[in-house]
Amino acid sequence: MLKFILRRLGVMLLTAFALTFVVFYLTNLAPNLEKLARSEGSVRMTEEAVTAWIEQNGHSGPVLMRYGQWLGVVPGWTFTDEKGVTRGRCIAQDGDAALAPRYCGVLQGNWGYSTVFKQPVGPALLEKLGATGWLMLWVMIVMVPVSLILGVLSGMREGSAMDRTLSTFAIVSTATPEYVSGVVLVALFATATTGLSPLLIDMGLLEPKKTLFLASSTSAMDNITFWNFTLPVMTIALYGIGYIARMTRASMTEVMTQQYIRTARLKGVNFRSVVMKHALRNALIAPFTVIMLQFPWLLNGVVITETLFNYKGFGWTLVTAASNNDIQLLLGCSVVAVLVVLVTQLISDIGYVYLNPRIRIS
Amino acid sequence: MTGNLTPKKLHPAALAYAQEVTAGTMDRREFLTRATALGVSAAGAYGLLGIKAPAVAQEAKAGGVIRMAMEVKGTKDPRLADWPQIANIYRGWLEYLIQYNSDGTFEGRLLESWEANADATEYTLKVRQGVTWNNGDPFTADDVVRNFARWTDGNVEGNAMASRFPGLVDEATKTMREGAVTKVDDSTVKLSLSISDIAVVPNLADYPSAVVHSSFKDGDDPSANPIGTGPYIPQEVSVGQRVVLVRAPNHTWWGGTSPLDEIHYIDFGTDPAAMVALFSSDEVDANYESVGEFIDILDGMGLTKEEADTASTIVVRMNSSSDLYKDKAVRQAIQLAVDPAVVLELGYNNLGKTGENHHCFPIHPEYAEIPKQTINPAGLPAALEAAGLKDTELEVISLDDGWESATTAAVVAQIRDAGATIKHTVMPGSTFWNDWQKYPFSSTTWNHRPLAVQNMSLAYTSTGSWNETAMANPEFDKLMAEALAIADAEKRKEVNAKLEAILQDEGYIINPFSRSLFRHHKEGFAGLAQHPAFEHHHYKWSVA
């Protein structure tokens, strides 16, 4: 067991290493550095000034060495300008160059400085991850119970009218990507001129010029309300609900055809107890893995949803970092993404063992 | 007619201008721009016309908060600032020597007054007394001199101010010339220019020229240690999210009490459609700018519309460092294939005035009428064939912002109709700015500047720092130097007519229209007039 976990952690480190190097390489391509120079210095800088900026801000030299600086195995860059002021990776603003450490990379716990947000990557990412955490939490709270109930209901009597109806809903919702469902939801619930809101206003159920829900979740950064948070949560949850419901249904129908279920029915146990006591636990093994695999997918979904609803979390940060070529922040984002994917996989593997004693980790 | 001003204190040209207004050869707005640029106070300028200055709104009520939707970009050293949005944040605590108002007048802020000599080579600046920094230091003539040294430093990469004061700079060291800016006494600073320069006053009012404290370290973020003379300080600056300006504690602002308690800038992205939703859900009180079709929609929502008449414009320009457009005949033919009136209608809903392909508009004091161009789409195929470009596909690049891409699309469509093979590539802001100055053919928006020669010298002289066309016409350069030395706009007009003609003839730019700028805000707010250069004068804002 311990060996298994250790091996998984090793894979995680290797993946993070490989991914960050790829990201580092791509963000350090010459045109990307030029873009960075122009947005950091001034869009009006000349060609020469851009080259000088790149050199003076530690973006020149071999890629491997610079990657080493980020890791903390190569000494951080320094530059002394003509006024004798020394800047460098390891030197804080207003800091004394002589006192600064030589190495300051990830190994030393320094995640670098975000050029877009003008603050260290660590706190910037943590704050944004917190916001995304709330979004994910509410998505899970909505998605997991709803999808399990739908899946069990449609799977316990395969082919019934209820199964057909719920399956149709599940297939439609999981076949609709976030960037479609988000726009549809906004049009239906959050515009003053189309969808439900004008109808409700006509009926006197809503104040004039208001909308049922808010199309922008920016205010949810400070204060989450039903009004400003429903649409982004529903946008992400809808996709997952259909998917998990389908998986649960498949697993449930399989369990319902097993011999022991038939035996229980023949013994005279009522249908309700058969489903609750005999079928459910076995039917939930597959959905458990699927739910754990939803975490990486959620990370993906938040990129679109947060941008659409202007909610400033991890997904929005990733988009902002990428469009501004914020190297250090992008690297931080990649590490977070690797962690989320592999940790949830680890949990799912371990949890699987507990749910299904036939499987052993060795 | 000279009101209560003693004529001998007035710049001679100002009196001449006033006579022109009476004679009807100059309109009132032009007069205000020119007279105040020469050091006549706004009230004095109105006085010269024998009318009273428009009454400033009665004492505004103190208190209240405004939520303004604006992109929140990271603040940077003001002289490096490349967006008005950046300046609008530090305007909370940093102030300017001179301010350009929405009505075309110049007003002294940290300067009490200023005077220019007859050929605009010597300016006397009177420093306002009784101004303090929010850390308690008094604001003095030394601060003014020090800031001039910062602005004129051409060794700083991307210093937007460096090329603005050619008369103050030592060309060898690219820094301020010895003796160019001198402190006469505690309240007087004298500028001695090596060449005539009429743009000193407008340049001092432009957004990168905010005045910073002596403790400000070059290149730093001004919000990190916000020492300024203004009434507010930043409580929070979260890039991409929000800025909160609050009253500076323990600071007596020289201007009295700025009405609003807090100013919140919230970043909701740049999608104009989102603004409609934001207003309807009461998440903002005012927007940065209303554009295109959304002006009508916002009007329909019962919001108050503010309009500013400007020389803001869009230039669809070719770059002659590309082989495609190095031939003047090709450029001219492309330029004449586009009818500005059609572009204005399709691209900007007729919310402006048609332009004449020379980046100069009637509201500029030196605007000269030159013979109208004849639009001639029929000439394009022949010109392309002669240059061997008959089968080459041309490409015009534009940003994906609503009206910019619509305008560019209208230009492209007309060139296509005239017989060229051409495509329109729309890029999001994240990739567009990558290499924008190098695109062979693309559209760029230009903000309003008070004098026409300001834009033209920046954009079309061979040494202009914002020259995206690669235009290098020695005749144009020579005439521009000449124009920049003529304080009398009426005389400058003659030179400007030639400049306009050269620019048209070179064919680099399609300059279809000047646009009016709009803003909407909820009822119950006052003083939120839109500004031709998007400047936010926070102290004028109040809750009615």
Side-chain angles (χ1 to χ4, degrees), chain A residues 319-357:
Chain A
V319 172
T320 313
S323 50
N324 291 286
N325 203 50
D326 189 336
I327 298 170
Q328 318 263 355
L329 187 59
L330 273 175
L331 291 170
C333 287
S334 332
V335 174
V336 169
V338 170
L339 274 182
V340 171
V341 172
L342 294 179
V343 166
T344 49
Q345 265 183 23
L346 188 67
I347 296 175
S348 116
D349 284 351
I350 296 171
Y352 203 74
V353 178
Y354 286 102
L355 284 173
N356 188 349

Side-chain angles (χ1 to χ4, degrees), chain A residues 31-32 34-36 38-50 52-53 56-57 82-83 85 93-95 116-118 127-128 190-192 208-211 213-219 221-222 227 310 312 316 323-324, chain B residues 74-76 79-83 153 155-160 164 207-208 217-221 224 237-242 266-269 274 277-283 300-302 430-431 433-438 465-466:
Chain A
N32 283 338
E34 267 178 44
K35 187 167 96 182
L36 183 67
R38 286 192 197 281
S39 60
E40 280 308 290
S42 163
V43 282
R44 297 178 291 251
M45 290 203 299
T46 59
E47 216 51 32
E48 296 79 53
V50 168
W53 188 93
Q56 294 168 8
N57 287 278
E82 66 269 27
K83 285 175 193 152
V85 180
Q93 236 184 35
D94 302 328
V116 186
F117 295 113
K118 313 278 179 213
E127 184 200 326
K128 303 294 187 316
T191 41
K209 290 183 188 158
K210 292 272 171 187
T211 56
F213 294 114
L214 220 46
S216 141
S217 301
T218 312
S219 51
M221 300 288 298
D222 301 319
W227 193 39
N310 230 309
K312 274 112 200 213
W316 178 84
S323 50
N324 291 286
Chain B
T75 44
K76 47 173 118 177
R79 59 185 170 165
L80 302 182
D82 37 14
W83 293 92
D153 189 347
N155 297 314
V156 176
E157 295 145 17
N159 183 351
R164 308 278 186 101
Y207 69 82
K217 262 173 65 183
D218 290 348
D220 269 6
D221 176 355
V237 179
S238 311
V239 180
Q241 300 184 44
R242 178 166 55 185
I266 313 175
D267 191 333
F268 288 103
L278 291 167
F279 271 118
S280 69
S281 58
D282 190 27
E283 288 199 83
M301 292 170 64
S430 50
T431 45
W433 301 111
N434 222 350
D435 217 5
W436 64 295
Q437 287 168 313
K438 290 283 165 53
S465 54
W466 298 3

Side-chain angles (χ1 to χ4, degrees), chain B residues 211-270:
Chain B
V211 175
V212 296
H213 186 249
S214 56
S215 65
F216 180 80
K217 262 173 65 183
D218 290 348
D220 269 6
D221 176 355
S223 70
N225 184 22
I227 299 180
T229 52
Y232 298 100
I233 54 160
Q235 185 183 57
E236 179 188 351
V237 179
S238 311
V239 180
Q241 300 184 44
R242 178 166 55 185
V243 168
V244 177
L245 299 176
V246 296
R247 286 185 194 284
N250 311 319
H251 173 53
T252 315
W253 182 49
W254 61 269
T257 309
S258 184
L260 291 176
D261 287 333
E262 288 183 21
I263 293 159
H264 295 202
Y265 285 113
I266 313 175
D267 191 333
F268 288 103
T270 51

Side-chain angles (χ1 to χ4, degrees), chain A residues 70-124:
Chain A
W70 179 75
L71 277 182
V73 294
V74 174
W77 61 270
T78 54
F79 175 78
T80 309
D81 64 17
E82 66 269 27
K83 285 175 193 152
V85 180
T86 304
R87 286 174 296 138
R89 183 186 164 82
C90 306
I91 304 166
Q93 236 184 35
D94 302 328
D96 189 345
L99 297 174
R102 282 188 71 212
Y103 298 91
C104 53
V106 174
L107 290 177
Q108 286 81 25
N110 182 338
W111 289 84
Y113 190 81
S114 161
T115 50
V116 186
F117 295 113
K118 313 278 179 213
Q119 57 169 323
V121 167

Side-chain angles (χ1 to χ4, degrees), chain B residues 91-112:
Chain B
R91 273 173 197 282
W93 63 98
L94 297 179
E95 293 186 289
Y96 293 77
L97 293 180
I98 295 168
Q99 174 176 288
Y100 181 56
N101 286 327
S102 340
D103 63 355
T105 57
F106 288 96
E107 174 188 345
R109 296 301 291 168
L110 295 179
L111 293 185
E112 225 149 53

